[in-house]
Amino acid sequence: MSSSNHQQQFRYTQTPSKVLHFRNLPWECSDEELADICSPFGKVMNTKCNVGANRNQAFVEFADLNQAISMVSYYASSSEPAQVRGKTVYIQYSNRHEIVNSKGPGDVPGNVLLVTIEGVEAGDVSIDVIHLVFSAFGFVHKIATFEKTAGFQALIQYTDAETAASARNALDGRSIPRYLLPENVGSCNLRISYSAHRDLNIKFQSNRSRDYTNPMLPVNQTAIDIALQPVGPDGKRKEPESNVLLALVENMQYAVTVDVLHTVFSAFGTVQKIAIFEKNGQTQALIQYPDVTVATAAKEALEGHCIYDGGYCFQ
């Protein structure tokens, strides 16, 4: 091994410690795998795996300092780097002198799971699909879905912590089966931790929340209707057809008045009403026709076309 590679694998500037810091570990490296590589150098007292944003770091605590020094010294002078599953692992002394496995909120077992569904947007994975996947491990009492900075998430309530633990152990890091996903979603991974909640407060049944223990709970019909909108080949929900068009006027260089809009849209049928307004700094208009057929014809003909040079109208 070249000296440059040695410098990458080991950092000598730190004070020796009986706790070693491992980097570049393979995905979901286990305690047993770490013990296997460390045990030839001494007694392993404690380990802490899957640390860091990518869960590819770990800490190992030896019984005494000399054992940790022995391991670092061995790989520093060896032509073969430390490896786990054939992947080179970088080792350095830790700043800490012992591993304290204090469990964070997400590690304390409970009957409610916090699930982050990576690689999808809200609406890509329905609440019914989530229920189907997690019901394989026991009766699901309640589900609430929402969006956070971490992505699309769901709270899933089971009867007890044992059922939740079995679901977490089986599904954490796995993907929802491909056949349950829309065509526009390549894959999605589940990241599962425990929630501090014990009993979710579901106020109504909708496409975002369900209480499977209370069939008499009111239904938010608006949310259900949105969920039942047809989905196009691209996986996006189709807009419901209406006799009223919403027109957005972009790149407007000349005034667009009610008379101008009436002239443009009357070419396709009788225009009953027009309302122009400003929203988010953009000129918009509502144009009402007597029926959906005429409105659809106008939308298909005019969308993306010019009103004046430099002005575009999008319905």
Side-chain angles (χ1 to χ4, degrees):
M1 181 185 291
S2 67
S3 60
S4 62
N5 286 337
H6 277 284
Q7 291 173 0
Q8 290 177 355
Q9 189 172 9
F10 301 96
R11 296 182 181 178
Y12 296 104
T13 57
Q14 291 182 300
T15 303
S17 167
K18 65 180 181 179
V19 178
L20 299 183
H21 179 203
F22 291 73
R23 296 179 295 115
N24 201 45
L25 289 163
W27 178 251
E28 292 191 343
C29 179
S30 67
D31 295 311
E32 291 76 15
E33 288 175 306
L34 282 176
D36 286 343
I37 191 175
C38 296
S39 57
F41 301 95
K43 184 178 180 180
V44 174
M45 300 299 294
N46 205 351
T47 59
K48 188 176 182 67
C49 295
N50 301 316
V51 177
N54 295 321
R55 303 178 71 175
N56 64 347
Q57 302 180 48
F59 295 94
V60 174
E61 179 183 344
F62 283 96
D64 63 57
L65 179 63
N66 289 332
Q67 294 170 352
I69 293 174
S70 175
M71 183 173 189
V72 171
S73 300
Y74 174 83
Y75 283 111
S77 60
S78 173
S79 60
E80 296 295 329
Q83 292 188 337
V84 176
R85 288 188 231 158
K87 189 173 183 180
T88 298
V89 177
Y90 302 111
I91 307 171
Q92 66 187 65
Y93 294 115
S94 172
N95 292 326
R96 64 182 73 185
H97 297 287
E98 65 176 339
I99 295 176
V100 179
N101 283 324
S102 56
K103 294 184 177 181
D107 297 317
V108 178
N111 65 314
V112 178
L113 298 177
L114 172 61
V115 181
T116 301
I117 307 176
E118 299 177 339
V120 303
E121 297 178 0
D124 286 339
V125 179
S126 71
I127 198 168
D128 294 317
V129 167
I130 296 172
H131 181 259
L132 178 65
V133 171
F134 283 86
S135 289
F137 303 91
F139 178 65
V140 173
H141 287 231
K142 301 173 184 179
I143 298 177
T145 64
F146 49 92
E147 295 170 72
K148 293 282 189 179
T149 53
F152 182 53
Q153 297 183 306
L155 289 169
I156 299 167
Q157 179 179 329
Y158 284 105
T159 304
D160 50 48
E162 289 74 20
T163 307
S166 65
R168 185 192 186 205
N169 293 337
L171 295 175
D172 188 28
R174 304 290 295 274
S175 177
I176 291 177
R178 185 68 189 85
Y179 66 88
L180 293 176
L181 300 173
E183 293 181 0
N184 65 304
V185 177
S187 64
C188 65
N189 293 321
L190 301 175
R191 300 290 166 229
I192 305 175
S193 60
Y194 292 107
S195 169
H197 292 282
R198 292 296 176 263
D199 187 20
L200 302 180
N201 181 20
I202 306 298
K203 296 181 178 179
F204 47 78
Q205 315 280 21
S206 75
N207 64 309
R208 302 300 296 269
S209 61
R210 296 283 172 84
D211 184 344
Y212 300 97
T213 68
N214 185 5
M216 303 306 293
L217 199 65
V219 174
N220 182 341
Q221 191 59 46
T222 302
I224 297 292
D225 290 342
I226 292 174
L228 294 177
Q229 287 179 11
V231 176
D234 60 354
K236 303 295 184 182
R237 298 196 184 280
K238 295 181 179 179
E239 295 179 5
E241 293 184 338
S242 169
N243 66 315
V244 178
L245 298 178
L246 172 63
L248 283 66
V249 184
E250 298 181 344
N251 305 323
M252 189 170 64
Q253 297 180 6
Y254 306 98
V256 174
T257 64
V258 170
D259 290 335
V260 169
L261 291 177
H262 186 269
T263 300
V264 171
F265 285 88
S266 290
F268 303 91
T270 301
V271 174
Q272 295 178 320
K273 299 177 183 178
I274 295 177
I276 296 180
F277 55 94
E278 294 286 329
K279 186 175 182 180
N280 299 326
Q282 188 176 46
T283 300
Q284 302 184 27
L286 292 171
I287 295 97
Q288 179 178 324
Y289 285 104
D291 55 59
V292 172
T293 303
V294 178
T296 301
K299 181 180 185 297
E300 292 177 352
L302 291 176
E303 186 167 14
H305 286 266
C306 299
I307 295 180
Y308 302 117
D309 287 340
Y312 293 86
C313 177
F314 294 92
Q315 285 76 41

